[in-house]
Amino acid sequence: NAGVTQTPKFQVLKTGQSMTLQCAQDMNHEYMSWYRQDPGMGLRLIHYSVGAGITDQGEVPNGYNVSRSTTEDFPLRLLSAAPSQTSVYFCASSYSSGRGNTEAFFGQGTRLTVV
Amino acid sequence: KQEVTQIPAALSVPEGENLVLNCSFTDSAIYNLQWFRQDPGKGLTSLLLIQSSQREQTSGRLNASLDKSSGRSTLYIAASQPGDSATYLCAPRGQAGTALIFGKGTTLSVSS
């Protein structure tokens, strides 16, 4: 059971480049989310999804795009990378609140540097 | 908007001490609350999940309590060990949505 898998683990981008951070889970969880973690700021929610075809914005969505075409995958797209997007990105998944046990599981993170 | 505060921000103790980490949240209408551990450069590992109807949850040397009405949760670590050194994060989940809201964590250092 792989849990939540994020790729790549490390990435360096130039300002203005675009890229996609991948997140996949094999637990059949409806709910998936993306966070960024910055020193002194804690984890902040970027986007989340309550099921295939349904996404919504979190606290810091600007500059990021998401889609959810399958239950398993929830990619995060950086449209035009900026140095302010240098951060560690975490993907999480859980069952939705209607399923009772909503324990969240996190991936190992993607460390992104924008130069 | 839910705000989560964790006190203290950092804690250093000798091995063997019992310790308490505090978490407070401003909106008491939560669905559940989860405690995580994060080692440097790593992801988050789930420690305990407390449902809003529960008062306590235990796993090994860890015990988490929840007082929803006062907006508080505590994580009790018994007989601390150097391997417990990490950052501990609490995250309540709101009723209206399903997002976890995080505090900034307590960084624990246990010396041998």
Side-chain angles (χ1 to χ4, degrees):
Chain A
N1 190 346
V4 180
T5 303
Q6 289 183 237
T7 57
K9 288 186 171 53
F10 301 93
Q11 183 70 49
V12 178
L13 284 180
K14 293 183 180 179
T15 298
Q17 285 185 318
S18 62
M19 79 159 294
T20 299
L21 280 63
Q22 301 291 344
C23 176
Q25 53 90 10
D26 61 358
M27 296 172 281
N28 202 30
H29 286 163
E30 301 97 338
Y31 184 78
M32 297 184 74
S33 54
W34 278 101
Y35 291 85
R36 59 178 289 175
Q37 186 176 37
D38 303 290
M41 300 293 291
L43 282 121
R44 293 179 293 169
L45 182 68
I46 305 171
H47 284 286
Y48 64 95
S49 168
V50 298
I54 306 170
T55 64
D56 206 346
Q57 297 180 350
E59 181 184 358
V60 288
N62 292 341
Y64 306 96
N65 232 350
V66 292
S67 60
R68 184 95 179 270
S69 56
T70 67
T71 300
E72 294 78 20
D73 300 297
F74 190 42
L76 178 72
R77 297 182 188 85
L78 278 69
L79 308 173
S80 177
S84 61
Q85 294 178 304
T86 294
S87 187
V88 182
Y89 292 85
F90 288 102
C91 177
S93 76
S94 68
Y95 289 119
S96 68
S97 59
R99 293 280 296 269
N101 183 354
T102 59
E103 183 178 13
F105 296 90
F106 279 73
Q108 288 301 299
T110 294
R111 189 174 297 272
L112 176 68
T113 301
V114 183
V115 298
Chain B
K1 178 186 170 185
Q2 179 75 279
E3 292 182 1
V4 181
T5 303
Q6 291 189 244
I7 294 173
L11 184 62
S12 292
V13 299
E15 182 177 7
E17 278 206 4
N18 302 323
L19 52 100
V20 174
L21 308 182
N22 297 293
C23 170
S24 61
F25 45 95
T26 55
D27 186 350
S28 62
I30 64 170
Y31 186 78
N32 58 32
L33 184 144
Q34 199 164 349
W35 281 92
F36 295 88
R37 168 190 173 132
Q38 186 177 27
D39 294 291
K42 303 294 185 183
L44 280 70
T45 301
S46 178
L47 296 174
L48 289 164
L49 172 71
I50 313 179
Q51 301 296 344
S52 60
S53 58
Q54 295 178 311
R55 299 281 295 184
E56 280 189 5
Q57 193 68 259
T58 298
S59 176
R61 293 182 295 108
L62 304 179
N63 175 277
S65 67
L66 175 64
D67 184 345
K68 205 176 77 158
S69 61
S70 67
R72 293 177 187 273
S73 178
T74 60
L75 180 67
Y76 175 82
I77 303 176
S80 58
Q81 303 171 358
D84 294 331
S85 298
T87 296
Y88 291 81
L89 298 158
C90 86
R93 187 187 295 272
Q95 290 281 16
T98 54
L100 288 170
I101 304 299
F102 283 87
K104 294 182 180 178
T106 294
T107 299
L108 173 66
S109 175
V110 182
S111 56
S112 57

